[in-house]
């Protein structure tokens, strides 16, 4: 019999002489999936090797797991007979992450166990602590609420059928959404609806694929709902559109699906870390659109995992996400990347991403051969600005000094 291949919840060890390495695997699997199985007496190839097993052996394995893993777990350790050979099966579960093995924290990635660096360990604590940050109370009250934004949310949630129409009363609505408690706004309520402009959003259009020369730049402050709308409007105005005549109608198609854009923008705000200095960023370049989310991606995972596998939702800000769901700004938990992937696939739009310790960036690739720039945007530029833009489009590596000689303007003017 062959047991197959090791994976994120399955590990093989030749004998109990490898118990220390097995303990690391148990810790890593618990931190990644909350469960797993380790076999002793199985080769890495999955072939059954067998080993001597008695009651003392089973007790020793159980004791070492119990003593080495913190918080403590009680594994199920049993003897199995396979191909007339004795092996040991260790199964385990735990929902009290993060777990450590002899004081060190591990995470399972494919069939390997790696040590968790400090920033990923902090993230694991955040995702699994009792009570979320966005449910904690602030010093702000109902007087800090932007009533107009809250009313727009209410009307939208009623219209899409996700909230029952019970007449609009501010305190009752906020209480129902768990955004106010003891007459104080929660962090979620403050970020979503405050009139004090708690979130910063930076947006810019760049002349090249480097962040050197910008054609337009904006820095806005506001609550989450206002900035989501501002972000969507800004990107929509600055992308290319393809014009087709269908029958007697002129149809314009965006180079990037608007549903996919809104999904990524909303998820960026929903999953960010807000207990540090936080700024969202959107940068539009000739070859791509980059949307930066100041919140780490779930450790040990990639966007493809959420596209192709049925992975449970990992939510940093559950109250924020629930509120955005009620207004249909996000459709459902843990399926955003799948919808974006499908939308972009149908429209032949390539996507990419960057996972860094300080945040997550989603990238939409632009195809300049399929779309034409809206005339209205070009017409807003002066003659010298148009000429500079065309020169950069033809040769993105041109320096400001080189351009200044062509258009007969100063280096300072070209840089501006």
């Amino acid at each position: 019999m062959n047991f197959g291949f090791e994976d994120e919840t399955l590990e093989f060890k030749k004998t109990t002489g490898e118990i220390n390495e097995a303990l690391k695997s148990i810790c890593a699997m618990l931190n990644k999936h909350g469960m797993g199985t380790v076999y002793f007496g199985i080769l890495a190839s999955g072939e059954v090797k067998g080993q001597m097993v008695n009651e003392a052996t089973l007790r020793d394995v159980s004791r070492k797991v119990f003593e080495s893993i913190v918080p403590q777990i009680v594994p199920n350790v049993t003897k199995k007979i396979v191909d007339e050979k004795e092996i040991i099966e260790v199964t385990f579960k735990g929902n009290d992450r993060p777990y450590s093995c002899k004081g060190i924290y591990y995470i399972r990635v494919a069939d390997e166990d790696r040590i968790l660096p400090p920033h990923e360990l902090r993230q694991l604590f955040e995702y699994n602590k009792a009570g979320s940050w966005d449910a904690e109370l602030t010093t702000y009250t109902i007087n800090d609420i932007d009533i107009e934004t809250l009313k727009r949310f209410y009307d939208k949630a009623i219209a899409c059928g996700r909230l029952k129409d019970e007449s609009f009363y501010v305190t009752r609505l906020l209480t129902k959404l768990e955004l106010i408690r003891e007459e104080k706004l929660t962090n979620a309520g403050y970020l979503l609806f405050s009139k004090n402009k708690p979130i910063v959003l930076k947006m810019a259009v760049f002349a090249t694929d480097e962040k050197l020369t910008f054609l337009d730049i904006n820095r806005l402050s506001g609550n989450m709902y206002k900035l989501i709308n501002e972000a969507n409007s800004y990107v929509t105005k600055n992308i290319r559109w393809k014009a087709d005549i269908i029958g007697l109608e002129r149809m314009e198609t965006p180079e990037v699906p608007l549903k996919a854009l809104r999904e990524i923008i909303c998820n960026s705000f929903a999953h960010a870390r807000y207990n540090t200095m936080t700024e969202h960023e959107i940068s539009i370049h000739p070859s791509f659109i980059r949307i930066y989310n100041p919140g780490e991606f779930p450790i040990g995972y990639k966007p493809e995992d959420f596209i192709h596998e049925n992975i449970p939702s990992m939510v940093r800000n559950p109250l924020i996400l629930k509120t955005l769901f009620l207004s249909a700004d996000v459709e459902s938990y843990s399926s955003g990347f799948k919808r974006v992937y499908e939308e972009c696939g149908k429209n032949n739009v390539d996507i990419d991403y960057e996972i860094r310790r300080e945040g997550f960036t989603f990238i939409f690739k632009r195809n300049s051969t399929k779309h034409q720039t809206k005339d209205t945007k070009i017409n807003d530029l002066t003659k010298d600005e148009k000429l500079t833009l065309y020169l950069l489009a033809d040769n993105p590596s041109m320096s400001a000094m080189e351009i200044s000689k062509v258009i007969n303007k100063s280096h300072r003017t070209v840089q501006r």
Side-chain angles (χ1 to χ4, degrees), residues 269-286:
F269 281 92
H271 296 290
R273 287 185 74 231
Y274 291 101
N275 53 347
T276 60
M277 293 297 292
T278 299
E279 290 190 354
H280 295 260
E281 293 183 17
I282 296 177
S283 55
I284 302 174
H285 299 262

Side-chain angles (χ1 to χ4, degrees), residues 232-286:
N232 276 284
S233 176
Y234 188 83
V235 177
T236 301
K237 290 177 182 177
N238 285 284
I239 60 176
R240 305 181 185 104
W241 292 69
K242 179 183 178 183
D244 295 303
I245 304 298
I246 301 177
L248 298 177
E249 297 291 330
R250 175 186 171 92
M251 302 293 293
E252 290 190 338
T253 306
E255 60 179 317
V256 176
L258 299 186
K259 286 183 179 179
L261 272 172
R262 186 169 185 86
E263 184 76 41
I264 292 299
I265 289 171
C266 289
N267 274 278
S268 175
F269 281 92
H271 296 290
R273 287 185 74 231
Y274 291 101
N275 53 347
T276 60
M277 293 297 292
T278 299
E279 290 190 354
H280 295 260
E281 293 183 17
I282 296 177
S283 55
I284 302 174
H285 299 262

Side-chain angles (χ1 to χ4, degrees), residues 107-148:
I107 193 72
R108 189 75 166 179
V109 180
D111 59 352
E112 297 181 353
D113 311 310
R114 66 177 179 86
I115 296 177
L116 273 168
H119 72 281
E120 291 188 2
L121 178 58
R122 183 200 67 229
Q123 183 189 357
L124 199 61
F125 272 107
E126 286 182 356
Y127 274 115
N128 293 283
K129 70 180 180 180
S132 60
W133 175 86
D134 70 343
E136 295 175 6
L137 295 179
T138 69
T139 59
Y140 301 99
T141 69
I142 196 169
N143 295 324
D144 296 284
I145 288 292
D146 181 343
I147 303 298
E148 182 183 346

Side-chain angles (χ1 to χ4, degrees), residues 362-415:
F362 195 92
I363 299 168
F364 292 98
K365 301 293 183 67
R366 307 177 73 183
N367 190 337
S368 59
T369 63
K370 294 194 302 182
H371 294 80
Q372 298 176 342
T373 305
K374 277 187 173 179
D375 292 338
T376 53
K377 200 62 187 175
I378 295 297
N379 289 337
D380 290 339
L381 303 178
T382 67
K383 178 181 176 180
D384 290 330
E385 288 171 340
K386 288 179 185 179
L387 183 54
T388 301
L389 176 60
Y390 293 144
L391 288 170
L392 286 169
D394 185 58
N395 182 8
S397 64
M398 284 188 76
S399 67
M401 188 62 70
E402 291 170 331
I403 295 173
S404 69
K405 294 177 181 178
V406 175
I407 69 173
N408 197 28
K409 294 291 181 179
S410 69
H411 173 272
R412 184 184 297 274
T413 298
V414 171
Q415 186 65 42

